[in-house]
Amino acid sequence: MAVREVLRMGDPRLLRAARPVEAFSTPALHGLVRDLTDTMRHLNGAGLAAPQIGVDLQLVIFEVENNPRYPDAGKVPFTVLANPRLTPLSERMEEGWEGCLSVPGLRGLVPRYVSLRYQGFDADGRAIERTVEGFHARVVQHEVDHLLGILYPMRLRDLRNFGFTEVLFPGPDRNDG
Ligand code: NI
């Protein structure tokens, strides 16, 4: 198990556009997925993108199941997604609270497309295509933004809806990122 250090906002490596994954099914790529998974689960993240651990590749993972950081979120299956493409299915957007392991201790109200199709590949190069909505769609948009060098505070419409998690949502299990 390798829990890696997560880069925090201010690090220029979080602001790059990531390079596509070109070699699938390699020990290096499987090792990277393992490290991302260990790190995400250790920190109770809903997702993690390779640039967040300093790796310049278009690779994200996500998973939501009984997550103490997102107690009200629906389930999202564990997914490894390389070279993703998102296609919103309507113009409709919805605001929802987001946090980020690269922006620890804070939450912000972020507009996202309500429903979308995403396409990409798993670590073995198998094609993935899903149509999703709600929190699942939100998580994918947040993670794919990391591959474009975008952190969620850059998406906020009103900075008054940005603050410390423990102040916004007082409670025993909500005092982390
Ligand atoms: Ni994030």
Side-chain angles (χ1 to χ4, degrees):
M1 159 150 172
V3 172
R4 304 269 292 260
E5 184 191 352
V6 176
L7 306 181
R8 286 176 301 158
M9 184 168 65
D11 191 304
R13 288 172 287 179
L14 292 170
L15 303 176
R16 297 185 294 201
R19 293 181 303 115
V21 173
E22 286 172 354
F24 291 90
S25 269
T26 64
L29 193 63
H30 285 298
L32 175 58
V33 168
R34 263 197 308 278
D35 284 1
L36 286 168
T37 306
D38 291 344
T39 305
M40 175 182 74
R41 289 178 178 164
H42 179 71
L43 298 170
N44 289 319
L48 194 62
Q52 291 182 274
I53 59 169
V55 176
D56 181 21
L57 284 176
Q58 293 177 19
L59 179 72
V60 304
I61 64 166
F62 44 88
E63 169 183 53
V64 181
E65 190 166 344
N66 303 321
N67 188 322
R69 289 177 68 241
Y70 296 97
D72 305 322
K75 276 191 184 183
V76 179
F78 176 76
T79 303
V80 175
L81 187 65
N83 303 349
R85 285 200 352 243
L86 305 186
T87 310
L89 297 180
S90 83
E91 291 296 303
R92 199 157 75 85
M93 300 185 92
E94 190 172 70
E95 294 201 311
W97 291 98
E98 295 185 14
C100 180
L101 297 176
S102 294
V103 191
L106 295 159
R107 293 290 167 101
L109 198 56
V110 184
R112 299 287 186 188
Y113 290 108
V114 172
S115 62
L116 55 82
R117 176 183 307 118
Y118 64 88
Q119 293 161 284
F121 302 91
D122 71 11
D124 290 312
R126 287 182 292 247
I128 295 172
E129 176 169 350
R130 287 191 189 137
T131 298
V132 298
E133 59 183 16
F135 195 74
H136 191 155
R138 175 170 298 280
V139 168
V140 175
Q141 289 170 87
H142 176 113
E143 296 311 325
V144 171
D145 264 357
H146 279 296
L147 307 181
L148 304 170
I150 297 170
L151 299 168
Y152 81 81
M154 297 155 73
R155 296 274 192 203
L156 295 173
R157 284 182 174 148
D158 184 342
L159 281 167
R160 286 173 292 195
N161 296 318
F162 186 42
F164 291 96
T165 312
E166 62 189 15
V167 178
L168 288 162
F169 303 108
D173 294 325
R174 301 212 188 188
N175 61 351
D176 59 17

